[in-house]
Structure formats: C-alpha cells, structure tokens
C-alpha cells in the first residue's frame, strides 16, 4: 500500500466550477496531465492550460446526448488499478491505460432540480450515472487516488497541492474518500425519496449533509448534534449558540405559534406553553401571555408571529429569557433586546417544514405524520342541552390549539383568547385538571366564564364535575369513551355546554 502519492494524471469533469481556476493553475505548475470532458474541458482551455479530451483517451466519442462519456475501461482502469499490484500494472501497460491519481468530479444538481418543480423528464436527466461511478471508483481506491467530489473541498485541495507539491498522504486521501461516500449516499437517498413519494416501499431513509455540533445534549454528559440548516430558518441577531434543549423548545414554539393568525405571543418551558395570548396588538399579547404564569416564564423560550417593536421589547426585557423568536424587529427593539449578552434573538425565515416525525425507539425507528389538523367551531359537535355561545366557541378554538401542543395528559383553561392555566403531563386526566385549577388560583385568575379543552376523552364524569364547580362554562373533548354519556350527563346536570371534535391530540 502506498502511503504518499505524487499526482501525475488528473481527471476533471464538474458541474460547478467555482474556485476551480486556482487548482487548474496549480496542476499546470506541477506538470500534471489533465483529462476532461465537455464544458469543463472548454473551461480549462480558456484558462490557457493544457488538457486532453477524454474522447482522445478512449478513442470513443460522447454518445446518447452526453449520457455516456466516461464509462470506459481506459478511464475506470486508470482509477481502479492498484499500484504495486504487478498484475494490475501489467494490464495498464498492455492496454495503454494511464494511472489517474486525482479525480475531481461532482454530480448533477438532482435535488435542486426537484425543488424547482421541473418536469419528470428533466428530473430524470439530472440523475448522474458517470459522475457517481467515477466518485465511487476513486473513493474505493483511496489508497492510491485522490477524490474530490464537492466544490466545498476545492480550496482545501488547492492548499495541499501547493504546500505538498502535488503529493498527498494516505490520511488525506481517506478523508476525501469519506466525504465522497457521504455525498454519493446522500445523492442516492435523494433519488430514492423522489421515486418513493407514494411510499409504496416502507423503508426508512434519511440523509442530511449539514450538521452543527452542540455544546452538549439534553444533559452535560451527553453529546449533541443538530443535523440541518439552522441558518436557512433563523437569522441570529444576538446571543450565544442554541443548545440542544433550546432547539427542542424552539421546535415546539414554532409548531404552536403556527396555529395562530392574529397577533400572538407564546412562552414555553420544556416544550409546553406556560403563557399564550392573542390580541389586537403584540404588546398586549405579551402582557397577557406573561400574566398566565410569570414564574414559569423565567428562562423560557418566547415566540411571536408579529413584529416586535421597542415598547414590546422593553416589556419583554424585564424578565430573564433564553430565546426570543419573531418574524421581524424594529431597529429600536433590537437595541433594547441586546442589553443582555446571552439572550438569543432570532428572526424566523419562511422555510418549508417536514410533514413527518421520527425518532429512535428500542432497536429501531418510529415515524408518523405530523399532527397538522386542528378542529375549529365548524368541527365542534354540541352534545349537551346547553349550546356554547359564539364567544365560547372562539375560546374553545383557542384552547384546542393550545391543548394540541401540550404534553399528555393535559387540560387547558382559556378565556378571551388567553391561556389561564394548564395541567400538563400527568398520569391521570383528573390530576391534570386539579393542577390547572390550582395554578389558575395561584395567579389570581377567575375561572368563571372560562372554557376547558382536553387532549383526549374523559373516562369518567369527575373532570366535568370539578371543572363546572370551578366556574368552567364550556368543555371541548374528542369523545370516544364508552362512558361519554356519563360526562354529557354531568355537563347537563351542571348546566354547562360540551362539544366533541372526534379528533384526539395526544402528545408524548
């Protein structure tokens, strides 16, 4: 096995030519013989560098509209030949095949073509055949060949060529091969995903090239990595880097706020809303969201769906928070919010979010559709003698949005588009109810005239009885219990209204 390899021959055929010019000049300086095809060959000639057409090497033209250019033994033999294998060397000499020590090849922009909405025929033509074969061949033979499969590595390659006079080490070649196989596997996953849009093949494949190492995971002794492009979704105006726990809360915050169209602010702790309100003006929304539970709001994640102005920023700055997210800020608001160095201030950008969720579980992975449905007044079926008022229906709609995004078992109290209290993550629904009643009282909320939403059905009538006695006048639940009628009867007995939606919103 060779440890250090001097580059004598190079094959270059790329779609993206950014930052390629310095490499061409350096290869020319080193006396490296360059083979190329098509547009890359033309580009190299335009730089005044010598280049040999692959067609001259293979004595075979590019055919089938360019579909077949480099798929030839004289190309792949030169890449795959094992140096210091006598039989391989003899065959190279026998068939006059040059050893190719450097391959610079990228892939057709398949994913970009799919995202552009192009027709199927155009998408299919962007499935690379020759390029991906060249990359795999060169990466397989990394002991003797350098493979550069991305324009992101051009600068690094250029530095190696210059500093090491055209020689590469085994560690460098293996590193390039590792990156190359990452690119080819991602490319194949993207193609499969395109062909499996109807999910006829129930297999799990995910590939994300971009990643960000976090300070740690959920706890300091756990490693954490985010896979994805945070910069596409958020513009950071101020503060430290997002932590693992920040990201989990931010994800929950984004999902919750997207349920609302009117000016709304939500405060979340451990993925649950401890305050949320919708108002005509964003400052009012903040004041009423904070009033729900100012104790839990400490150190929380705050999200708004409207621009943050200076007055609102001044009010928000009165408490300690970890993250603030909004679609926009006034310049004055930004200056106010930058008063504390560690606050994370983010502008949310419009990005299409996944419609699937998955996580590791046991010795595998589970996947599901995201819960993207929400039941409004039109889907609320009255089941009691008393009908909910229009005002109660609006509050029930608000409460249903919140309960959908709260850990089960959960009960939510709301009034006038404001969260009054919630019982979160309890092992019994009645405990969640009792927790919500205690919290509402502790912050001075009057539950008379408030509404209640439950993420799942009531197995017994006790929740309805306790809620009515606390002042609740309207109840929303999905229904589905064999004892639904017991809860309906209790609501009738207490003189309150109840609606059923037929849709459960468990969240674990």
């Amino acid at each position: 096995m060779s440890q250090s390899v001097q580059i004598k021959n190079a094959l270059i055929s790329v779609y993206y030519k950014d930052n390629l010019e310095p490499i061409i000049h350096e290869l020319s300086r080193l006396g490296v013989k360059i083979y190329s095809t098509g547009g890359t060959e033309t580009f190299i000639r335009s730089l005044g560098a010598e280049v040999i057409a692959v067609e001259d090497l293979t004595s075979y033209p590019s055919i089938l509209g360019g579909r077949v250019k480099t798929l030839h033994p004289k190309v792949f033999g030169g890449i795959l030949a094992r140096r210091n294998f006598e039989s391989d060397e003899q065959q190279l000499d026998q068939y006059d095949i040059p050893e190719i020590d450097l391959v610079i090849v990228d892939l057709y922009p398949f994913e970009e073509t799919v995202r552009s909405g192009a027709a199927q025929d155009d998408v299919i033509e962007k499935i690379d055949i020759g390029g991906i074969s060249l990359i795999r061949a060169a990466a397989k033979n990394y002991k003797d060949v350098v493979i550069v499969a991305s324009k992101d590595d051009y600068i690094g390659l250029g530095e190696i060529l210059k500093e090491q006079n055209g020689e590469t080490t085994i560690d460098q070649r293996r590193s390039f091969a590792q990156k190359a196989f990452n690119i080819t596997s991602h490319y194949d996953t993207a193609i499969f995903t395109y062909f499996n849009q109807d999910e006829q093949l129930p297999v799990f494949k995910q590939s994300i090239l971009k990643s960000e190492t976090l300070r740690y995971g959920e706890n300091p002794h756990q490693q954490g990595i985010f896979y994805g492009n945070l910069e596409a979704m958020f513009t950071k105006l101020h503060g430290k880097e997002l932590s693992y726990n920040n990201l989990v809360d931010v994800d929950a915050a984004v999902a919750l706020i997207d349920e609302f169209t009117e000016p709304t602010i939500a405060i979340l702790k451990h993925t649950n809303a401890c305050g949320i309100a919708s108002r005509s003006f964003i400052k009012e929304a903040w004041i009423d969201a904070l009033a729900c539970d100012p104790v839990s709001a400490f150190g929380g994640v705050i999200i708004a769906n409207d621009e943050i102005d200076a007055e609102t920023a001044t009010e928000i700055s009165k408490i300690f928070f970890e993250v603030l997210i909004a679609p926009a800020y006034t310049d004055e608001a930004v200056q106010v919010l930058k008063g504390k160095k560690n606050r994370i201030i983010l502008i949310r950008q419009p990005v299409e979010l996944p419609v699937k969720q998955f996580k590791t579980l046991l010795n595998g992975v589970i996947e599901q559709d995201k819960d993207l449905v929400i039941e409004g007044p039109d889907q609320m079926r009255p089941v009691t003698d008393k009908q909910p008022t229009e005002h109660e229906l609006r509050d029930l709609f608000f409460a249903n949005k919140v309960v959908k995004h709260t850990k089960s078992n959960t009960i939510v109290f709301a009034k006038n588009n404001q969260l009054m209290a919630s019982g979160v993550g309890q092992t019994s629904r009645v405990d969640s109810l009792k927790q919500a009643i205690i919290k509402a009282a502790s912050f001075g909320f009057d539950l008379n005239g408030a509404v209640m939403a439950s993420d799942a059905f009531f197995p017994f009538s006790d929740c309805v009885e306790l809620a009515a006695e606390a002042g609740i006048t309207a109840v929303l639940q999905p229904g589905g219990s064999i004892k639904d009628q017991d809860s309906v009867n209790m609501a009738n007995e207490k003189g309150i209204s109840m609606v059923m939606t037929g849709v459960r919103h468990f969240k674990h």
Side-chain angles (χ1 to χ4, degrees), residues 24 36 39-53 56:
I24 301 302
S36 189
T40 307
E41 178 191 345
T42 302
F43 173 76
I44 294 171
R45 291 191 193 282
S46 73
L47 300 177
E50 293 186 12
V51 59
I52 300 171
D56 293 338

Side-chain angles (χ1 to χ4, degrees), residues 192-193 195-205 367:
F192 171 78
T193 300
F195 277 90
N196 198 42
Q197 293 178 67
D198 55 5
E199 298 183 352
Q200 286 189 358
L201 286 178
V203 298
F204 181 80
K205 289 183 184 292
E367 182 184 65

Side-chain angles (χ1 to χ4, degrees), residues 147-280:
I147 173 60
V148 174
S150 168
K151 65 181 187 299
D152 295 338
D153 290 323
Y154 289 174
I155 293 176
L157 173 65
E159 292 172 352
I160 290 172
L161 293 174
K162 185 175 296 185
E163 294 172 5
Q164 298 172 199
N165 285 316
E167 283 195 356
T168 61
T169 68
I170 185 67
D171 289 340
Q172 288 168 340
R173 295 194 298 277
R174 191 181 192 285
S175 177
F176 279 124
Q178 180 186 52
K179 293 178 181 179
F181 281 125
N182 184 32
I183 288 171
T184 58
S185 65
H186 176 81
Y187 195 77
D188 282 336
T189 297
I191 294 170
F192 171 78
T193 300
Y194 175 78
F195 277 90
N196 198 42
Q197 293 178 67
D198 55 5
E199 298 183 352
Q200 286 189 358
L201 286 178
V203 298
F204 181 80
K205 289 183 184 292
Q206 291 288 331
S207 178
I208 301 174
L209 291 176
K210 193 173 178 62
S211 66
E212 182 176 328
T213 300
L214 307 174
R215 295 195 300 275
Y216 50 81
E218 197 164 9
N219 299 292
H221 62 276
Q222 296 171 268
Q223 183 183 11
I225 301 175
F226 175 79
Y227 296 97
N229 187 1
L230 281 177
E231 293 178 357
M233 186 160 185
F234 299 110
T235 299
K236 189 173 76 171
L237 301 180
H238 182 69
K240 58 187 178 181
E241 297 303 316
L242 287 163
S243 69
Y244 180 99
N245 291 328
N246 288 155
L247 287 167
V248 173
D249 283 337
V250 166
D251 177 67
V254 167
L256 174 60
I257 203 69
D258 282 352
E259 300 283 1
F260 298 88
T261 55
E262 60 273 39
T264 302
I265 287 187
I267 311 165
L268 286 88
K269 287 288 288 293
H270 302 291
T271 73
N272 297 304
C274 57
I276 181 169
S278 298
R279 294 292 181 261
S280 299

Side-chain angles (χ1 to χ4, degrees), residues 59-367:
S59 299
Y60 218 95
S62 172
I63 62 173
L64 305 180
R67 280 189 164 197
V68 180
K69 291 182 288 189
T70 56
L71 295 168
H72 193 282
K74 278 205 168 183
V75 175
F76 281 87
I79 294 171
L80 287 166
R82 293 158 292 186
R83 282 52 161 178
N84 299 328
F85 266 57
E86 185 177 351
S87 59
D88 285 10
E89 296 290 343
Q90 288 176 350
Q91 288 187 321
L92 292 182
D93 290 340
Q94 179 182 354
Y95 296 107
D96 193 23
I97 299 174
E99 292 179 346
I100 296 177
D101 316 295
L102 169 64
V103 175
I104 304 177
V105 172
D106 60 11
L107 300 170
Y108 291 155
F110 178 82
E111 289 180 280
E112 294 87 338
T113 305
V114 172
R115 284 195 293 267
S116 73
Q120 182 176 347
D121 285 349
D122 295 327
V123 171
I124 298 303
E125 285 306 309
K126 287 298 185 288
I127 297 176
D128 208 310
I129 303 300
I132 201 165
S133 300
L134 290 167
I135 292 171
R136 288 176 63 86
K140 175 179 179 176
N141 203 24
Y142 74 89
K143 293 176 183 177
D144 300 303
V145 179
V146 182
I147 173 60
V148 174
S150 168
K151 65 181 187 299
D152 295 338
D153 290 323
Y154 289 174
I155 293 176
L157 173 65
E159 292 172 352
I160 290 172
L161 293 174
K162 185 175 296 185
E163 294 172 5
Q164 298 172 199
N165 285 316
E167 283 195 356
T168 61
T169 68
I170 185 67
D171 289 340
Q172 288 168 340
R173 295 194 298 277
R174 191 181 192 285
S175 177
F176 279 124
Q178 180 186 52
K179 293 178 181 179
F181 281 125
N182 184 32
I183 288 171
T184 58
S185 65
H186 176 81
Y187 195 77
D188 282 336
T189 297
I191 294 170
F192 171 78
T193 300
Y194 175 78
F195 277 90
N196 198 42
Q197 293 178 67
D198 55 5
E199 298 183 352
Q200 286 189 358
L201 286 178
V203 298
F204 181 80
K205 289 183 184 292
Q206 291 288 331
S207 178
I208 301 174
L209 291 176
K210 193 173 178 62
S211 66
E212 182 176 328
T213 300
L214 307 174
R215 295 195 300 275
Y216 50 81
E218 197 164 9
N219 299 292
H221 62 276
Q222 296 171 268
Q223 183 183 11
I225 301 175
F226 175 79
Y227 296 97
N229 187 1
L230 281 177
E231 293 178 357
M233 186 160 185
F234 299 110
T235 299
K236 189 173 76 171
L237 301 180
H238 182 69
K240 58 187 178 181
E241 297 303 316
L242 287 163
S243 69
Y244 180 99
N245 291 328
N246 288 155
L247 287 167
V248 173
D249 283 337
V250 166
D251 177 67
V254 167
L256 174 60
I257 203 69
D258 282 352
E259 300 283 1
F260 298 88
T261 55
E262 60 273 39
T264 302
I265 287 187
I267 311 165
L268 286 88
K269 287 288 288 293
H270 302 291
T271 73
N272 297 304
C274 57
I276 181 169
S278 298
R279 294 292 181 261
S280 299
F281 300 100
I282 203 69
K283 179 183 174 183
E284 296 173 353
W286 164 251
I287 292 171
D288 289 341
L290 179 62
C292 175
D293 185 350
V295 175
S296 296
F298 182 86
V301 168
I302 304 166
I303 190 164
N305 63 358
D306 204 356
E307 182 181 65
I308 301 295
D309 56 30
E311 287 189 7
T312 307
T314 300
E315 291 297 322
I316 293 175
S317 292
K318 292 178 181 179
I319 74 163
F320 167 72
F321 63 88
E322 287 275 345
V323 185
L324 174 60
I325 308 162
Y329 303 83
T330 65
D331 292 340
E332 296 82 1
V334 173
Q335 293 309 309
V336 170
L337 294 166
K338 284 183 175 180
K340 300 287 186 179
K341 67 176 183 178
N342 285 330
R343 289 173 173 168
I344 303 172
I345 312 300
L346 304 175
I347 297 177
R348 182 183 173 187
Q349 305 295 346
V351 172
E352 185 178 356
L353 297 174
V355 296
K356 296 280 189 179
Q357 293 175 311
F358 61 88
K359 64 179 179 180
T360 59
L361 189 147
L362 300 176
N363 62 341
V365 173
I366 55 173
E367 182 184 65

